[in-house]
Amino acid sequence: MRSNPSVFGLSRDLARYAVSFSLDQTPCEVIDYAQYLILDLLGAALAGVATPEAKAAQNAVRMLAGQGPCTLWGTPHHTTAGGAALANGICAHARELDDFGGVDHTGAVVIPALGALAQFLLGLTGKAFLESMIIGYEVGRRVLDACGGYRPHNHEDGFHSTGTIGSFAAAAAAARAMNLDEDQTVWAMGLAGSFTGGTWAFARDGAMGKRFHAGWAAETGVTAAVLASQGFTGPEFIFEAEWGGFFSTYARSASCPEKLVQDLGTTFAIMRTGIKPYAACRDIHSSLDVVLRARDKHRLLPEDIQEILVRATPETFQMVGQNPYPETRPQAQLSLSYSLAAAMVTGRAFVEEFEEAMIENFDVQEMARRVRVVEDKGLPFDSEPHIRILTRAGHTFAGHVAQASGSHLNPLAPDKIIEKFDSLTHPLLPGHAGRALKAAVFSIDKLPDAGRLFSLLEI
């Protein structure tokens, strides 16, 4: 059931690309990086299993969805494909250690969706899994670019792109995994886009809603693809419809529809994805780089510091500059003052530094009082913050990192990614179990059944 060629929608160009995409014509570096992203995401997810939001999600899914073939990662339990996508997506985003730079958090949306389908479908090969994953990352980043980029969509429009755009990424990936045809893929993306959302209201009180956005987008993508496979149609003009289209509704300030398909097939958006070294919002990472390096280089102690001054763009200030005394982990992960204080006190900004005991730590709270974040409207758009550390002895250390550690322009070395995975998963996957999972990830393109990889997450 094809439309007249003169009225094809933008989603059809994406669908045509998704259906025809092959790993055989994909550069080796793209395939290799996709494997590292899988490993990183699974590490982040397993680290999230013990969080209250992950436990709540797993319990809720077991109540609502019941039994099924798909693993609730890090547990002995199984549920339906949709339920697993929801709970595992929430789990993957719980620690703020999942990848960034796509929808924003593409891995926490696409990989749980595909992991669920890998155990739900019969015969999804590892090669097909990788093809589907790369498609999901491609579609997701292109939709964000077509919204004008991260800042306009998230700051000016007020949406959380992991939720609003993640659904497209998950639907495109799921459609490819299910081997849907061009029309069905159009419908899947249309359905996903007609029922998507996510706002930044969670930032005010540190609610768990941010995690829900990743899981809900993953589940929406799975549901949309399964519906489309049964002939349930979705709107072909989901992006460009003047009334109710995605751009006119969700990208009001700076949409660039042409970027959705510009140079399609000549670049790989997955290579613009970053891997986090710190368990905080990515807007904090470059400042952490500066402070941790200064701490080590100059052997600074908290008692040496008179003030840490951070000059930030209005967008960065809006997101992470206004809550120096967080009460919850989600709030702490969005607090520049707290993050720098914890890093100065402990020399780290990883998992334990954002837990309740550290949030309530007197030394960290005292240090946070000496971190001053100011809004500097004179900084270039999207500039990373500029830091000035003033010591009580009268010394001043200034620093600025243009590309934070882990960004695609300042990537983590492969051994650092593996080290991160090992440190996050050791409590659940000691010894042989951890080695087996890593071996499966790095040979996924050879696996006859991708579901085997995700069965290793049954613990």
Side-chain angles (χ1 to χ4, degrees):
M1 191 180 79
R2 290 177 179 269
S3 303
N4 185 295
S6 64
V7 292
F8 277 176
L10 290 168
S11 59
R12 187 163 292 277
D13 288 330
L14 292 177
R16 187 174 297 117
Y17 174 72
V19 169
S20 64
F21 179 74
S22 172
L23 208 65
D24 296 334
Q25 283 79 49
T26 304
C28 292
E29 60 267 25
V30 175
I31 298 171
D32 290 346
Y33 194 51
Q35 293 172 338
Y36 277 106
L37 287 171
I38 295 170
L39 186 78
D40 186 68
L41 189 282
L42 296 183
L46 290 176
V49 168
T51 62
E53 51 264 55
K55 291 179 179 179
Q58 290 165 348
N59 289 338
V61 162
R62 291 173 66 195
M63 291 172 61
L64 290 169
Q67 290 293 314
C70 305
T71 304
L72 287 171
W73 298 348
T75 80
H77 305 298
H78 296 79
T79 189
T80 62
L86 172 62
N88 294 335
I90 289 172
C91 197
H93 192 41
R95 295 283 189 190
E96 282 287 342
L97 279 164
D98 48 310
D99 65 45
F100 66 95
V103 298
D104 184 38
H105 300 283
T106 314
V109 175
V110 167
I111 295 173
L114 290 176
L117 287 175
Q119 293 185 293
F120 173 70
L121 301 172
L122 295 177
L124 180 66
T125 67
K127 178 183 177 183
F129 183 98
L130 283 175
E131 289 171 338
S132 304
M133 175 184 169
I134 292 168
I135 287 297
Y137 275 73
E138 188 72 32
V139 168
R141 181 65 218 200
R142 284 180 170 276
V143 176
L144 184 63
D145 287 344
C147 287
Y150 181 86
R151 297 300 185 193
H153 184 65
N154 286 266
H155 290 270
E156 295 177 41
D157 294 326
F159 294 111
H160 183 214
S161 55
T162 300
T164 55
I165 295 173
S167 298
F168 287 109
R176 176 55 195 246
M178 297 183 69
N179 201 30
L180 301 192
D181 64 22
E182 188 179 303
D183 284 322
Q184 292 168 326
T185 302
V186 169
W187 299 340
M189 288 190 290
L191 291 171
S194 66
F195 191 76
T196 192
T199 71
W200 278 89
F202 58 79
R204 178 164 180 172
D205 58 1
M208 298 176 184
K210 187 172 191 285
R211 322 308 190 198
F212 178 62
H213 296 170
W216 190 254
E219 182 184 17
T220 296
V222 169
T223 302
V226 173
L227 282 169
S229 75
Q230 301 303 306
F232 198 105
T233 65
E236 173 145 351
F237 301 96
I238 185 60
F239 293 111
E240 66 269 45
E242 292 181 4
W243 182 34
F246 186 79
F247 293 139
S248 62
T249 305
Y250 290 91
R252 300 182 297 271
S253 61
S255 64
C256 310
E258 67 278 2
K259 290 188 176 181
L260 194 64
V261 295
Q262 190 175 65
D263 300 323
L264 184 61
T266 64
T267 59
F268 291 91
I270 195 170
M271 301 304 291
R272 296 163 63 189
T273 306
I275 292 178
K276 285 187 172 185
Y278 309 123
C281 173
R282 63 170 180 157
D283 275 357
I284 296 172
H285 285 209
S286 72
S287 300
L288 284 168
D289 283 342
V290 172
V291 166
L292 287 171
R293 289 173 190 174
R295 183 184 187 275
D296 292 344
K297 180 178 180 179
H298 303 291
R299 300 186 180 183
L300 297 174
L301 298 174
E303 55 265 31
D304 297 327
I305 307 301
Q306 178 172 319
E307 180 185 68
I308 298 177
L309 174 65
V310 183
R311 291 189 296 115
T313 64
E315 295 81 10
T316 299
F317 184 81
Q318 177 189 44
M319 184 170 289
V320 298
Q322 303 184 65
N323 186 10
Y325 311 116
E327 297 180 356
T328 68
R329 177 167 25 86
Q331 283 182 323
Q333 291 165 331
L334 287 168
S335 172
L336 212 165
S337 295
Y338 170 83
S339 298
L340 297 188
M344 181 57 71
V345 170
T346 67
R348 288 164 49 91
F350 208 51
V351 174
E352 293 180 0
E353 286 67 43
F354 294 90
E355 291 304 298
E356 183 176 345
M358 192 63 67
I359 293 171
E360 296 176 352
N361 181 278
F362 174 82
D363 292 335
V364 173
Q365 292 180 347
E366 170 60 25
M367 186 67 240
R369 294 186 180 93
R370 286 174 275 151
V371 180
R372 185 161 61 97
V373 183
V374 298
E375 181 180 359
D376 187 339
K377 296 181 180 179
L379 291 175
F381 176 75
D382 223 14
S383 169
E384 296 291 341
H386 290 254
I387 314 296
R388 189 192 70 181
I389 301 173
L390 177 64
T391 72
R392 285 173 170 157
H395 302 298
T396 299
F397 306 106
H400 170 74
V401 171
Q403 296 294 335
S405 299
S407 77
H408 74 285
L409 295 175
N410 186 14
L412 296 184
D415 63 317
K416 293 296 183 182
I417 300 171
I418 294 173
E419 182 181 311
K420 174 186 171 184
F421 172 84
D422 288 340
S423 68
L424 291 174
T425 60
H426 179 72
L428 284 175
L429 294 175
H432 175 72
R435 291 191 295 272
L437 183 56
K438 282 188 286 189
V441 169
F442 288 121
S443 61
I444 188 172
D445 54 325
K446 306 295 192 302
L447 291 180
D449 178 6
R452 294 180 187 175
L453 187 158
F454 295 94
S455 68
L456 296 174
L457 299 174
E458 180 182 337
I459 300 169

